[in-house]
PDB file of all heavy atoms in Angstrom:
ATOM      1  N   PHE A  41      -1.708  -3.320   1.434  1.00 98.00           N
ATOM      2  CA  PHE A  41      -2.742  -4.114   2.089  1.00 98.00           C
ATOM      3  C   PHE A  41      -2.839  -3.661   3.541  1.00 98.00           C
ATOM      4  O   PHE A  41      -1.965  -2.955   4.041  1.00 98.00           O
ATOM      5  CB  PHE A  41      -2.386  -5.607   2.041  1.00 98.00           C
ATOM      6  CG  PHE A  41      -2.610  -6.241   0.705  1.00 98.00           C
ATOM      7  CD1 PHE A  41      -1.783  -5.950  -0.370  1.00 98.00           C
ATOM      8  CD2 PHE A  41      -3.651  -7.137   0.508  1.00 98.00           C
ATOM      9  CE1 PHE A  41      -1.994  -6.533  -1.623  1.00 98.00           C
ATOM     10  CE2 PHE A  41      -3.867  -7.735  -0.726  1.00 98.00           C
ATOM     11  CZ  PHE A  41      -3.039  -7.429  -1.785  1.00 98.00           C
ATOM     12  N   ARG A  42      -3.887  -4.090   4.220  1.00 98.00           N
ATOM     13  CA  ARG A  42      -4.000  -3.809   5.647  1.00 98.00           C
ATOM     14  C   ARG A  42      -4.633  -5.001   6.354  1.00 98.00           C
ATOM     15  O   ARG A  42      -5.371  -5.780   5.748  1.00 98.00           O
ATOM     16  CB  ARG A  42      -4.812  -2.539   5.894  1.00 98.00           C
ATOM     17  CG  ARG A  42      -6.273  -2.624   5.504  1.00 98.00           C
ATOM     18  CD  ARG A  42      -6.928  -1.259   5.647  1.00 98.00           C
ATOM     19  NE  ARG A  42      -8.347  -1.297   5.299  1.00 98.00           N
ATOM     20  CZ  ARG A  42      -9.121  -0.213   5.225  1.00 98.00           C
ATOM     21  NH1 ARG A  42      -8.602   0.990   5.476  1.00 98.00           N
ATOM     22  NH2 ARG A  42     -10.397  -0.329   4.918  1.00 98.00           N
ATOM     23  N   GLN A  43      -4.329  -5.087   7.632  1.00 98.00           N
ATOM     24  CA  GLN A  43      -4.883  -6.168   8.436  1.00 98.00           C
ATOM     25  C   GLN A  43      -5.244  -5.642   9.808  1.00 98.00           C
ATOM     26  O   GLN A  43      -4.378  -5.175  10.549  1.00 98.00           O
ATOM     27  CB  GLN A  43      -3.885  -7.319   8.556  1.00 98.00           C
ATOM     28  CG  GLN A  43      -4.462  -8.559   9.205  1.00 98.00           C
ATOM     29  CD  GLN A  43      -3.580  -9.778   8.994  1.00 98.00           C
ATOM     30  OE1 GLN A  43      -2.400  -9.679   8.664  1.00 98.00           O
ATOM     31  NE2 GLN A  43      -4.156 -10.965   9.186  1.00 98.00           N
ATOM     32  N   ALA A  44      -6.521  -5.709  10.116  1.00 97.00           N
ATOM     33  CA  ALA A  44      -7.026  -5.310  11.426  1.00 97.00           C
ATOM     34  C   ALA A  44      -7.025  -6.525  12.348  1.00 97.00           C
ATOM     35  O   ALA A  44      -7.054  -7.669  11.881  1.00 97.00           O
ATOM     36  CB  ALA A  44      -8.428  -4.734  11.292  1.00 97.00           C
ATOM     37  N   PRO A  45      -7.008  -6.310  13.660  1.00 93.00           N
ATOM     38  CA  PRO A  45      -6.997  -7.439  14.601  1.00 93.00           C
ATOM     39  C   PRO A  45      -8.176  -8.379  14.376  1.00 93.00           C
ATOM     40  O   PRO A  45      -9.323  -7.934  14.256  1.00 93.00           O
ATOM     41  CB  PRO A  45      -7.102  -6.746  15.962  1.00 93.00           C
ATOM     42  CG  PRO A  45      -6.515  -5.403  15.748  1.00 93.00           C
ATOM     43  CD  PRO A  45      -6.903  -5.020  14.354  1.00 93.00           C
ATOM     44  N   GLY A  46      -7.879  -9.660  14.261  1.00 95.00           N
ATOM     45  CA  GLY A  46      -8.921 -10.657  14.090  1.00 95.00           C
ATOM     46  C   GLY A  46      -9.491 -10.760  12.695  1.00 95.00           C
ATOM     47  O   GLY A  46     -10.446 -11.514  12.463  1.00 95.00           O
ATOM     48  N   LYS A  47      -8.925  -9.999  11.761  1.00 97.00           N
ATOM     49  CA  LYS A  47      -9.439 -10.014  10.384  1.00 97.00           C
ATOM     50  C   LYS A  47      -8.356 -10.459   9.414  1.00 97.00           C
ATOM     51  O   LYS A  47      -7.171 -10.431   9.729  1.00 97.00           O
ATOM     52  CB  LYS A  47      -9.962  -8.628   9.998  1.00 97.00           C
ATOM     53  CG  LYS A  47     -11.166  -8.179  10.799  1.00 97.00           C
ATOM     54  CD  LYS A  47     -11.761  -6.906  10.224  1.00 97.00           C
ATOM     55  CE  LYS A  47     -13.028  -6.503  10.951  1.00 97.00           C
ATOM     56  NZ  LYS A  47     -13.626  -5.259  10.363  1.00 97.00           N
ATOM     57  N   GLU A  48      -8.788 -10.852   8.231  1.00 97.00           N
ATOM     58  CA  GLU A  48      -7.834 -11.242   7.207  1.00 97.00           C
ATOM     59  C   GLU A  48      -7.200  -9.994   6.579  1.00 97.00           C
ATOM     60  O   GLU A  48      -7.778  -8.904   6.595  1.00 97.00           O
ATOM     61  CB  GLU A  48      -8.540 -12.079   6.133  1.00 97.00           C
ATOM     62  CG  GLU A  48      -9.034 -13.421   6.638  1.00 97.00           C
ATOM     63  CD  GLU A  48      -9.550 -14.293   5.511  1.00 97.00           C
ATOM     64  OE1 GLU A  48      -9.685 -13.800   4.386  1.00 97.00           O
ATOM     65  OE2 GLU A  48      -9.831 -15.471   5.784  1.00 97.00           O
ATOM     66  N   ARG A  49      -6.043 -10.211   6.014  1.00 98.00           N
ATOM     67  CA  ARG A  49      -5.380  -9.127   5.290  1.00 98.00           C
ATOM     68  C   ARG A  49      -6.201  -8.781   4.054  1.00 98.00           C
ATOM     69  O   ARG A  49      -6.639  -9.668   3.308  1.00 98.00           O
ATOM     70  CB  ARG A  49      -3.968  -9.562   4.900  1.00 98.00           C
ATOM     71  CG  ARG A  49      -3.072  -8.451   4.431  1.00 98.00           C
ATOM     72  CD  ARG A  49      -1.627  -8.899   4.363  1.00 98.00           C
ATOM     73  NE  ARG A  49      -1.110  -9.272   5.675  1.00 98.00           N
ATOM     74  CZ  ARG A  49       0.181  -9.523   5.915  1.00 98.00           C
ATOM     75  NH1 ARG A  49       1.066  -9.441   4.941  1.00 98.00           N
ATOM     76  NH2 ARG A  49       0.569  -9.878   7.116  1.00 98.00           N
ATOM     77  N   GLU A  50      -6.400  -7.483   3.823  1.00 98.00           N
ATOM     78  CA  GLU A  50      -7.235  -7.064   2.706  1.00 98.00           C
ATOM     79  C   GLU A  50      -6.534  -6.043   1.828  1.00 98.00           C
ATOM     80  O   GLU A  50      -5.711  -5.248   2.296  1.00 98.00           O
ATOM     81  CB  GLU A  50      -8.558  -6.481   3.223  1.00 98.00           C
ATOM     82  CG  GLU A  50      -8.430  -5.198   3.993  1.00 98.00           C
ATOM     83  CD  GLU A  50      -9.787  -4.576   4.338  1.00 98.00           C
ATOM     84  OE1 GLU A  50     -10.832  -5.159   4.022  1.00 98.00           O
ATOM     85  OE2 GLU A  50      -9.777  -3.474   4.913  1.00 98.00           O
ATOM     86  N   PHE A  51      -6.909  -6.082   0.569  1.00 98.00           N
ATOM     87  CA  PHE A  51      -6.359  -5.180  -0.428  1.00 98.00           C
ATOM     88  C   PHE A  51      -6.799  -3.752  -0.160  1.00 98.00           C
ATOM     89  O   PHE A  51      -7.961  -3.495   0.182  1.00 98.00           O
ATOM     90  CB  PHE A  51      -6.822  -5.621  -1.812  1.00 98.00           C
ATOM     91  CG  PHE A  51      -6.521  -4.631  -2.901  1.00 98.00           C
ATOM     92  CD1 PHE A  51      -5.242  -4.479  -3.394  1.00 98.00           C
ATOM     93  CD2 PHE A  51      -7.537  -3.851  -3.431  1.00 98.00           C
ATOM     94  CE1 PHE A  51      -4.969  -3.568  -4.394  1.00 98.00           C
ATOM     95  CE2 PHE A  51      -7.279  -2.942  -4.434  1.00 98.00           C
ATOM     96  CZ  PHE A  51      -5.997  -2.790  -4.916  1.00 98.00           C
ATOM     97  N   VAL A  52      -5.873  -2.800  -0.350  1.00 98.00           N
ATOM     98  CA  VAL A  52      -6.185  -1.385  -0.208  1.00 98.00           C
ATOM     99  C   VAL A  52      -5.996  -0.654  -1.536  1.00 98.00           C
ATOM    100  O   VAL A  52      -6.910   0.023  -2.017  1.00 98.00           O
ATOM    101  CB  VAL A  52      -5.300  -0.730   0.880  1.00 98.00           C
ATOM    102  CG1 VAL A  52      -5.542   0.767   0.931  1.00 98.00           C
ATOM    103  CG2 VAL A  52      -5.553  -1.375   2.239  1.00 98.00           C
TER     104      VAL A  52
END
Side-chain angles (χ1 to χ4, degrees):
F41 284 71
R42 66 186 181 186
Q43 188 165 18
K47 295 189 176 181
E48 294 188 351
R49 193 167 297 190
E50 66 173 2
F51 170 75
V52 175

